[in-house]
Amino acid sequence: MTDMQPYERLATLTASFGTEVSLDEWTWSSLYEYADSTAPEPDQIVEVAHLWAVSPEGGGSTDIALLARLADGRWASCVAWSDYTGFGCQQGVDWRVNDTRELAISQGLDKESRTHLGLSLPGEESAR
């Protein structure tokens, strides 16, 4: 069984976001357990600056995009999805850690995620 303590803190960091799907301890633990790439340590995340989370198919389906500031000043992004059965069956979780916020946006987030987060690159239109 996974120790939920570090994920409780992360759930608290994202509780104020008005997203369709909340990132509770279980969801945060899934973002780490099913990561396709190296994720930052949970205790390194000091702020979640942007978050988008929905359930496009209902049930356990989830689409997530987030941008987080790390304790050492770097930035992490995560783009994740799970099918209607939830994490543990079919999913993808892509974490990226970059030196700057700008690099995290341009290299860590795809265009769709940037649009959902209201972030854009020069020449892209933001959804907000």
Side-chain angles (χ1 to χ4, degrees), residues 9-10 13-14 17 28 32 40-51 66-78 95-101 104:
R9 188 183 67 76
L10 294 175
L13 285 178
T14 55
F17 286 89
W28 273 106
Y32 280 86
E41 292 297 322
D43 64 346
Q44 288 296 304
I45 296 177
V46 295
E47 174 192 13
V48 176
H50 297 275
L51 173 65
L66 66 84
L67 185 66
R69 185 172 52 87
L70 304 180
D72 63 5
R74 295 181 302 159
W75 287 79
S77 61
C78 181
W95 282 96
R96 306 274 175 103
V97 175
N98 292 95
D99 289 337
T100 66
R101 180 179 185 275

Side-chain angles (χ1 to χ4, degrees), residues 16-128:
S16 64
F17 286 89
T19 56
E20 178 182 316
V21 174
S22 63
L23 270 63
D24 59 12
E25 294 90 351
W26 185 85
T27 305
W28 273 106
S29 71
S30 296
L31 293 178
Y32 280 86
E33 181 177 352
Y34 300 107
D36 298 326
S37 51
T38 303
E41 292 297 322
D43 64 346
Q44 288 296 304
I45 296 177
V46 295
E47 174 192 13
V48 176
H50 297 275
L51 173 65
W52 173 76
V54 297
S55 179
E57 301 171 351
S61 71
T62 311
D63 283 353
I64 298 169
L66 66 84
L67 185 66
R69 185 172 52 87
L70 304 180
D72 63 5
R74 295 181 302 159
W75 287 79
S77 61
C78 181
V79 177
W81 65 273
S82 67
D83 71 358
Y84 68 92
T85 59
F87 287 99
C89 185
Q90 293 186 32
Q91 70 276 320
V93 181
D94 182 31
W95 282 96
R96 306 274 175 103
V97 175
N98 292 95
D99 289 337
T100 66
R101 180 179 185 275
E102 292 74 20
L103 286 174
I105 293 168
S106 66
Q107 296 179 10
L109 298 170
D110 57 27
K111 184 177 180 178
E112 180 181 1
S113 296
R114 289 191 300 269
T115 299
H116 289 302
L117 292 172
L119 304 169
S120 61
L121 298 176
E124 287 181 348
E125 290 187 28
S126 177
R128 292 186 182 187

